[in-house]
Amino acid sequence: MRKSRRTHVVVVAAMLSTMVPAPSATAAEHADLFAFDASPGSFVGSGQTVSSTTNVFILGTSTTSSIEMVGYGNGEQYTLRFSAPSGETLSVGAYAAPDPVDGPSPDPGIGFMGGGDACSGHGSFVIHDLQVDGGGLPTAIAATWSFECEGYSAPIVGRIRIGSTAALPALSVLRESREYPGPFYAGETSEFVTHVVAATGELPVTFGTLSTAGPHPADFVIANDTCSDSTIQPGTSCELSVAFSPT
């Protein structure tokens, strides 16, 4: 059997960031931040890169069980929401969010909408700093997150910081549509395409084992991977190569 497929290769870290302690009184000052990098083909924010330090805030209806945040980019308003499992509250830590935030759930939830688009989806988030007032309501937060609409293999990766001095990690990954000229027969392998992953934030980034994803992950192979199970410092990078190898 022969196959020829046009694919959008997206490199995703198994662990986007490491846990960091709450900022101390001597922590470096960092501005409020709303930033995300949306893969081409993502339902919300498709192909956009946003980084804004103004008009970022926590909605007054938020609680430590459900924190809703607003940011602006490229002339559009976006809303990001983290929710705790039913009966629990959010705190500093890492959360896998397999379910939408449409209602009570035994699992954490994440939602992201904006630019006139909204969808149910799943993802993950790491809260690096969370501060509350005397009534237990959130007043400051710093977090990294990823989100993917149901039915779309195009993740959105972002950072948000409101009223916090916590530093945040970030990645810059070469993403592009790649045509592997064919046809290829099962068992054949295309030329490898190298992708560079750079740490562009304020903290080191620690990876787990990288893997392929999407509708046909088994049809792609990774080689020359210097990213998996490593930590890269701000301003440095790692790389990996991906090839099409139909099964």
Side-chain angles (χ1 to χ4, degrees), residues 106-149:
D107 298 306
I110 183 172
F112 183 61
M113 67 180 76
D117 296 316
C119 68
S120 294
H122 59 274
S124 62
F125 55 95
V126 178
I127 298 178
H128 299 261
D129 181 32
L130 180 61
Q131 302 174 37
V132 299
D133 63 16
L137 300 180
T139 59
I141 188 170
T144 49
W145 55 275
S146 64
F147 178 78
E148 190 171 303
C149 290

Side-chain angles (χ1 to χ4, degrees), residues 2 10 13 47 52 58-59 65 69 74 98 107 113 122 124 146 149 153 164 173 184 197 215 222 235 238:
R2 64 181 187 179
V10 179
S52 174
I58 300 172
L59 286 180
S65 296
M69 298 149 282
N74 299 338
D107 298 306
M113 67 180 76
H122 59 274
S124 62
S146 64
C149 290
S153 298
S164 171
V173 182
F184 290 95
V197 185
I222 296 175
C238 60

Side-chain angles (χ1 to χ4, degrees), residues 4 22-23 32 46 55 99 102 106 116 118 136 155 164 179 199 231 238 241 247:
S4 180
D32 286 355
S46 179
N55 295 323
D99 296 328
D102 300 331
S164 171
E179 185 79 34
T231 297
C238 60
S241 299
T247 54

Side-chain angles (χ1 to χ4, degrees), residues 13-245:
M15 181 190 295
L16 175 62
S17 55
T18 54
M19 292 278 293
V20 296
S24 69
T26 59
E29 187 69 27
H30 295 290
D32 286 355
L33 176 68
F34 172 70
F36 70 81
D37 183 8
S39 302
S42 58
F43 186 74
V44 180
S46 179
Q48 293 191 63
T49 296
V50 165
S51 182
S52 174
T53 57
T54 60
N55 295 323
V56 189
F57 56 90
I58 300 172
L59 286 180
T61 54
S62 294
T63 67
T64 50
S65 296
S66 180
I67 303 176
E68 197 161 1
M69 298 149 282
V70 173
Y72 289 82
N74 299 338
E76 301 285 355
Q77 177 180 311
Y78 293 90
T79 302
L80 174 67
R81 181 179 171 191
F82 301 150
S83 65
S86 298
E88 299 183 22
T89 58
L90 295 168
S91 60
V92 171
Y95 295 85
D99 296 328
V101 290
D102 300 331
S105 169
D107 298 306
I110 183 172
F112 183 61
M113 67 180 76
D117 296 316
C119 68
S120 294
H122 59 274
S124 62
F125 55 95
V126 178
I127 298 178
H128 299 261
D129 181 32
L130 180 61
Q131 302 174 37
V132 299
D133 63 16
L137 300 180
T139 59
I141 188 170
T144 49
W145 55 275
S146 64
F147 178 78
E148 190 171 303
C149 290
E150 296 293 344
Y152 290 79
S153 298
I156 306 164
V157 178
R159 296 171 290 158
I160 193 160
R161 180 170 52 222
I162 303 169
S164 171
T165 58
L168 293 173
L171 288 176
S172 174
V173 182
L174 173 64
R175 294 190 180 99
E176 59 183 81
S177 295
R178 177 66 64 177
E179 185 79 34
Y180 291 92
F184 290 95
Y185 290 90
E188 294 181 337
T189 301
S190 72
E191 292 183 358
F192 279 86
V193 177
T194 298
H195 297 267
V196 177
V197 185
T200 57
E202 303 144 352
L203 288 175
V205 176
T206 297
F207 297 92
T209 301
L210 303 191
S211 62
T212 57
H216 304 280
D219 284 350
F220 300 90
V221 293
I222 296 175
N224 304 319
D225 175 9
T226 64
C227 298
S228 287
D229 305 314
S230 70
T231 297
I232 55 175
Q233 300 298 320
T236 66
S237 62
C238 60
E239 63 181 45
L240 70 159
S241 299
V242 181
F244 178 45
S245 183

